Amino acid sequence: MRLSRSFIPTMKETPAEAQIASHRLMLRAGLVRQTSAGIYAWLPLGFRVLKNIERIVREEQDASGAQEVLMPTIQPAELWRESGRYDDYGKEMLRITDRHDRDMLYGPTNEEVITDLFRQSVRSYRELPQILYHIQWKFRDEVRPRFGVMRGREFLMKDAYSFDLDYAGAVVSYRKMMLAYMRTFQRLGLKAIPMEAESGPIGGDLSHEFIILAPTGESQVYYDAAFEEIDYLSRGAGGFSHDSAADLHRFFGEMTSHYAATDEKHDPAKWAQVDQTRRREGRGIEVGHIFYFGTRYTKAMNTTVAAPDGTHVHPEMGSYGIGVSRLVGAVIEASHDDAGIIWPDGIAPFKAAILNLRRGDAGCDAMCEALYAKLGRDALYDDREERAGAKFADADLMGHPWQIIVGPRGAAAGMAELKRRATGERVELTPNEALGRIGCSA
C-alpha cells in the first residue's frame, strides 16, 4: 500500500478521552475511530491487524478439530427464556422488538443458540464429541464504556462450545481447547498464563482465564516463570498433540502444576514455595476464558442424546472464549514505547515500512519501487512529500516490525538502512540482504 493513497489518518495530538496507551495509540496511528460510545469503526490499518489475529485464532481452532459455524447476531428471546437467562441477564443485554412484536436481542453470547442448533441435529452418542465455534460481533451495553476496544460495547469474539457424552469426555475437550489457546497466544507473540478462575455454582477446577502482563492490567498476577519456557507449538518429542489423550493429560498436568494466580486467588504460602528466581508478578489483562458448565443448558433446554445403553442423557458442555478485538488493545498495552506501537511479527498490519527520504531523487525512487514490487502487500510504502522526521515518527507510531530506510546517499551506493522496531537496531544492507533479513525472498 502506498501511504500517499491510503486511508490512515494519523494524529499528532492525543485525544482527551483516551485514558490508556492502547486507546491513545489506536486513535493516533489511525487504526480506529469512535462512532458512538464504546462502538468503533475499524480503519484499514486496524482491520488488517484484526484479520491477522482472527486468522491465527481460526487456524488453531481448526487444528484442534473444532468446526466453524456462523451464528446470527440477532437472537430470539424465547431461547433465552427457555434457558432462564432472559430476565436475569441485566441491562447489558440490548433487547429489541421486531415489527411483528416479537422479542429479540442482540447476542451478548451464544450458549442458547448453539444448544438449540445441536438439539435439532444430534441424536446419538455416536455423533459425539462435537466442538463448534464461530467468530462473530457481540454487543453488551456497558454502563460506562471506556478504554477504547478494551472495554467497548460492540466487540469481535471467538466463542466455541463443546458437547460430550460424559464428564470424562468433557475434560478431554477442555484440555484440547486449553492447548489450542496456548498455541494461539504463542503465535500471536504473547506470553499468556492460564490461571484458575471462579467456576461458579458448578464448582470443580475446570475454569481458567488467560492473562498477559501489561502495566495497565486490571488484576495483579503472580506466576512461575516455568510457563515462559514451554514451547506449545512443538509437536515432536516433549511436545503436545490435540489427538493424544496422554499428551493432553501431560499438558494439563504441566499447566496446573506451576503456580499462577490473580490477586483474588493468590496464596502467599504457596507463592513462598516458588523459587525466588522464578517468581514473576505484575499487572495482567485477561484475553481469554474457558469454562466447563456441565448440563446447565442441555437440561434447561431439554437436549438429550441416546447413550450406549439406550437411555437418554443430557450432554456435558463447555464454553471457550477469546476476545479478538480486545486482543488488539491488549497487545498494544503489552508492547509499546513512547514513540508508538511495537507489533509482534505475526499480527502486524505490514511486515515493513519503506521510507523514501527524498521523493524525486532518481536513485531513491528506483530502489523504493523495486523493494515495494518485491514486498507487495506486506509493505507500506511511505512515498509522501514529507520531511524525513515525519516519516520516521509515523513509522514508529504505526509499529511496523521493520523499516527499510532509503536516502539519496545510500541509494547512490546501492545500500539501504534496515531498522528493527522492537530493538531500534539499525544496519546498512543491500536491498536483497534487507529483504532476506525480514523474511522475503529476493
Side-chain angles (χ1 to χ4, degrees):
M1 183 184 294
R2 294 177 186 272
L3 191 51
S4 62
R5 300 177 191 170
S6 69
F7 185 59
I8 304 177
T10 58
M11 304 167 65
K12 290 185 172 61
E13 302 299 325
T14 299
E17 73 273 16
Q19 300 175 25
I20 61 173
S22 60
H23 194 189
R24 292 195 298 269
L25 291 172
M26 289 181 76
L27 291 172
R28 288 193 56 221
L31 273 65
V32 296
R33 285 294 181 267
Q34 181 172 301
T35 63
S36 182
I39 301 175
Y40 291 85
W42 291 78
L43 307 187
L45 202 67
F47 189 63
R48 288 175 72 102
V49 177
L50 196 66
K51 299 304 285 186
N52 285 338
I53 293 175
E54 183 180 330
R55 172 182 50 80
I56 291 171
V57 169
R58 176 176 285 111
E59 288 171 357
E60 290 304 325
Q61 289 293 292
D62 291 346
S64 75
Q67 301 166 81
E68 187 171 10
V69 298
L70 183 60
M71 290 177 274
T73 56
I74 303 299
Q75 304 177 17
E78 59 257 31
L79 289 179
W80 284 67
R81 290 194 173 104
E82 200 175 343
S83 73
R85 288 207 299 172
Y86 185 71
D87 294 324
D88 295 340
Y89 199 86
K91 293 183 178 181
E92 288 77 19
M93 180 190 289
L94 181 62
R95 292 166 169 83
I96 307 164
T97 302
D98 70 11
R99 67 193 301 170
H100 300 291
D101 290 327
R102 289 178 296 220
D103 291 331
M104 311 291 285
L105 59 100
Y106 193 122
T109 183
N110 283 82
E111 285 82 358
E112 284 81 2
V113 173
I114 200 69
T115 304
D116 182 52
L117 293 173
F118 177 88
R119 71 181 173 182
Q120 293 180 44
S121 306
V122 179
R123 300 284 181 264
S124 169
Y125 72 94
R126 292 185 180 90
E127 300 169 78
L128 297 179
Q130 295 282 350
I131 303 178
L132 305 171
Y133 79 96
H134 78 160
I135 300 173
Q136 179 62 285
W137 290 95
K138 292 179 167 46
F139 186 90
R140 295 176 189 168
D141 199 3
E142 293 272 356
V143 63
R144 284 185 298 276
R146 58 196 188 279
F147 305 148
V149 300
M150 295 289 291
R151 189 69 64 84
R153 294 194 294 166
E154 186 183 53
F155 54 95
L156 186 63
M157 185 174 178
K158 187 286 301 182
D159 45 327
Y161 302 92
S162 60
F163 296 84
D164 286 274
L165 182 64
D166 52 26
Y167 177 75
V171 168
V172 173
S173 293
Y174 186 93
R175 292 171 178 175
K176 278 188 178 185
M177 282 292 102
M178 179 180 273
L179 177 56
Y181 274 40
M182 298 311 293
R183 288 175 53 83
T184 297
F185 293 129
Q186 184 172 332
R187 287 185 61 190
L188 293 175
L190 299 172
K191 286 183 169 62
I193 313 300
M195 301 193 176
E196 187 178 336
E198 293 297 336
S199 54
I202 295 171
D205 59 354
L206 294 183
S207 180
H208 287 84
E209 55 190 9
F210 298 81
I211 305 290
I212 64 170
L213 289 188
T216 53
E218 56 268 272
S219 301
Q220 180 72 15
V221 296
Y222 308 82
Y223 68 93
D224 190 322
F227 282 108
E228 299 176 352
E229 300 161 7
I230 302 170
D231 181 6
Y232 301 100
L233 299 176
S234 172
R235 294 184 182 273
F240 306 108
S241 167
H242 297 106
D243 302 319
S244 165
D247 273 6
L248 292 171
H249 178 78
R250 180 169 55 86
F251 161 75
F252 190 71
E254 188 153 5
M255 293 301 96
T256 54
S257 63
H258 304 304
Y259 187 86
T262 60
D263 45 4
E264 294 89 349
K265 285 183 165 285
H266 182 50
D267 185 334
K270 289 183 179 178
W271 183 236
Q273 295 172 19
V274 178
D275 188 289
Q276 194 162 2
T277 62
R278 298 208 321 265
R279 293 180 197 166
R280 302 288 185 272
E281 59 181 284
R283 306 298 295 178
I285 295 173
E286 180 188 339
V287 290
H289 190 186
I290 60 177
F291 179 49
Y292 159 77
F293 47 69
T295 58
R296 160 72 176 84
Y297 294 94
T298 53
K299 277 186 176 178
M301 299 180 69
N302 194 27
T303 302
T304 63
V305 296
D309 62 3
T311 62
H312 282 77
V313 300
H314 300 287
E316 305 270 345
M317 290 180 65
S319 69
Y320 315 91
I322 288 180
V324 177
S325 54
R326 179 181 173 89
L327 268 167
V328 180
V331 168
I332 295 172
E333 290 295 328
S335 185
H336 69 275
D337 59 18
D338 291 341
I341 302 166
I342 304 173
W343 290 117
D345 292 73
I347 62 174
F350 296 97
K351 274 187 179 181
I354 302 168
L355 309 186
N356 186 338
L357 299 189
R358 187 171 295 174
R359 185 178 169 187
D361 178 89
C364 287
D365 290 349
M367 183 177 287
C368 288
E369 290 292 342
L371 286 165
Y372 183 52
K374 289 175 180 176
L375 278 166
R377 71 181 308 275
D378 289 332
L380 179 66
Y381 175 23
D382 192 343
D383 60 339
R384 298 174 298 169
E385 293 280 4
E386 278 280 2
R387 58 187 177 82
K391 295 188 177 188
F392 290 139
D394 279 349
D396 282 347
L397 174 63
M398 296 179 203
H400 317 291
W402 299 96
Q403 297 171 22
I404 306 177
I405 303 162
V406 180
R409 189 175 303 172
M415 303 295 282
E417 192 172 35
L418 182 66
K419 176 183 173 181
R420 181 64 166 164
R421 174 68 178 92
T423 63
E425 178 192 6
R426 299 167 79 123
V427 60
E428 197 171 46
L429 300 167
T430 67
N432 284 348
E433 289 170 339
L435 290 171
R437 183 76 67 90
I438 67 177
C440 176
S441 59

